[in-house]
Amino acid sequence: MALAPNTNGALVLPGAGPTSQHTPPPESSTDSDETALGPTYSGEDIRPTSDKELRAWYAYAWAAEPYVVVAIATFIPLTLEALARENGHLLGQPDVPCTPKSFPIPIPGPEPGPPHTLPKTPTAFFRPDPNQCIIHLLGIRMASSSFAMYTFSISVLLQSLVIVSMSGAADHGSYRKKLLLFFAALGSVSTMLFIVVKPGAYPLAALWTILSNVSFGASFVLLNAFLPVLVRNHPTVQAQLKSSLLDVEPDSESAPTENTALLSSTSTPPPSVTASALGLSTKISSTGVAIGYLAGAFLQALAIFVIRAFSSSPIFGLEVILFIVGAWWAGFSIFVALWMRPRPGPPLPRVDAKPGDPVDERIGWDAVAYAWKNFGAQLGSQVN
């Protein structure tokens, strides 16, 4: 039996009707390019927030939050203390190491006093502990227990400086996602590098702590910079805004046009839309926190088994746990690279810009100067 082509070029049996063509299902509203209103600045991505973007936001909370729950809160302080003690000596006894390995060394303790009595003089309160471990770092004499505190103090100071300096780049231009991935890579690799630190190179552990802690804080600032954009372009908020536009009198002076911004400084959305957006923002944020702490609890439980497995080498066991935390951070950050859209912010305001000049989206030292200028202005307004 011969086959004859139909009008579409498909081969059909003679006398048979046209073959049914498979039509792919339409994309969901969250992945479409439909928008409520036009962009408010050049390069703005106003596509509705997709499910993949929300999963990417949650994925980074799942990836990075265990660093605080497991590493910063528990195992980095223990690791810093253990590595420092390997290089220290007892107070007043330079020849007696804090952690003898080959033979037991008697450690003198404080002289016992009468039970339930107070010292006769106030100076007895300040009697040095003979069991205190002393280290010498860069010519500075300190207790081994202070090594972690000094390290965290320096990391928090640098973290605050970095966060303020990059705030301009987080809110303007197209570097938000790139910076997030950069700090995620730097922080996760720094955490994994604990595993190569030997007791004799314990200052490296302080360096990895500083780099990872600064990177964690900076990356979460960048992650939270995505939240207002995801909420503003969420289909639920967009639908309510469209509905609110239909309820406004066309001749009203405050009636928005097709180019009016949504939930931005150039327009005042109805209170119901604002409340819905705030509720959605709270829901996304709280869900991310819950997911992150769930991941932290899982790794904390896993750390118990790691400690037991490396009971003969406790320092290496601590470093293995930190390596797992860093690998976890790096692995799940891949979903941010795959699913999160860059969502560029508005161009950085420039003092010397003239009307009609082309927009320069490059972010450099101008962003740092702009960030500190804004910080100084806000600080001055609070003081005054």
Side-chain angles (χ1 to χ4, degrees):
M1 181 180 294
L3 299 178
N6 65 358
T7 57
N8 295 327
L11 298 179
V12 297
L13 292 172
T19 58
S20 60
Q21 301 294 324
H22 175 70
T23 303
E27 294 183 345
S28 63
S29 59
T30 57
D31 293 326
S32 67
D33 291 336
E34 297 179 0
T35 56
L37 296 175
T40 58
Y41 54 86
S42 175
E44 182 182 12
D45 187 351
I46 57 174
R47 288 175 292 176
T49 301
S50 66
D51 292 337
K52 283 187 176 181
E53 283 185 288
L54 292 177
R55 294 192 195 106
W57 203 91
Y58 295 142
Y60 193 76
W62 175 267
E65 197 68 45
Y67 172 79
V68 170
V69 177
V70 181
I72 287 293
T74 307
F75 292 103
I76 286 183
L78 293 176
T79 305
L80 293 175
E81 167 74 7
L83 290 171
R85 289 186 66 86
E86 290 288 324
N87 296 271
H89 61 82
L90 294 181
L91 178 64
Q93 304 180 69
D95 298 330
V96 181
C98 300
T99 55
K101 303 178 181 62
S102 57
F103 56 91
I105 297 178
I107 300 177
E111 297 179 0
H116 308 293
T117 59
L118 293 175
K120 296 181 179 180
T121 59
T123 56
F125 283 109
F126 305 99
R127 181 180 300 169
D129 182 6
N131 297 330
Q132 189 176 31
C133 186
I134 302 299
I135 61 173
H136 298 270
L137 179 63
L138 301 177
I140 302 174
R141 180 175 178 269
M142 69 179 74
S144 61
S145 58
S146 301
F147 178 56
M149 292 189 291
Y150 286 133
T151 301
F152 283 122
S153 298
I154 294 173
S155 70
V156 171
L157 173 62
L158 294 178
Q159 185 184 83
S160 61
L161 296 177
V162 170
I163 288 175
V164 174
S165 299
M166 70 166 202
S167 60
D171 296 329
H172 300 275
S174 58
Y175 290 84
R176 184 184 300 155
K177 180 179 178 179
K178 296 176 183 177
L179 287 174
L180 173 58
L181 294 176
F182 168 76
F183 283 113
L186 179 61
S188 59
V189 171
S190 299
T191 307
M192 288 189 286
L193 284 177
F194 271 92
I195 202 168
V196 302
V197 178
K198 303 301 180 183
Y202 72 99
L204 277 179
L207 177 61
W208 304 147
T209 301
I210 293 171
L211 289 177
S212 60
N213 198 24
V214 169
S215 299
F216 172 82
S219 67
F220 257 83
V221 169
L222 292 161
L223 181 70
N224 289 325
F226 278 99
L227 187 56
V229 183
L230 298 179
V231 170
R232 182 168 62 246
N233 294 290
H234 195 275
T236 302
V237 177
Q238 291 286 310
Q240 292 186 355
L241 283 165
K242 286 182 180 180
S243 177
S244 67
L245 295 181
L246 299 177
D247 296 336
V248 179
E249 294 294 336
D251 297 333
S252 173
E253 295 181 357
S254 61
T257 66
E258 62 180 5
N259 294 322
T260 304
L262 300 181
L263 294 181
S264 67
S265 58
T266 59
S267 64
T268 304
S272 60
V273 178
T274 302
S276 176
L278 290 175
L280 179 61
S281 177
T282 302
K283 178 182 178 181
I284 295 174
S285 180
S286 58
T287 302
V289 171
I291 289 174
Y293 275 92
L294 181 63
F298 172 76
L299 288 186
Q300 195 78 278
L302 178 63
I304 298 175
F305 296 97
V306 175
I307 289 293
R308 294 178 64 89
F310 291 92
S311 58
S312 60
S313 181
I315 293 181
F316 186 69
L318 295 173
E319 293 175 340
V320 168
I321 294 172
L322 295 177
F323 179 85
I324 293 174
V325 172
W328 180 282
W329 186 355
F332 286 101
S333 296
I334 294 176
F335 294 105
V336 178
L338 296 177
W339 294 342
M340 184 71 77
R341 293 168 179 162
R343 298 284 185 180
L348 185 70
R350 301 184 184 277
V351 179
D352 56 348
K354 298 179 181 179
D357 287 351
V359 177
D360 185 5
E361 295 184 353
R362 293 175 299 176
I363 298 294
W365 291 109
D366 290 343
V368 178
Y370 173 80
W372 280 100
K373 182 179 178 181
N374 275 358
F375 176 75
Q378 294 178 7
L379 187 62
S381 63
Q382 294 296 327
V383 173
N384 298 330

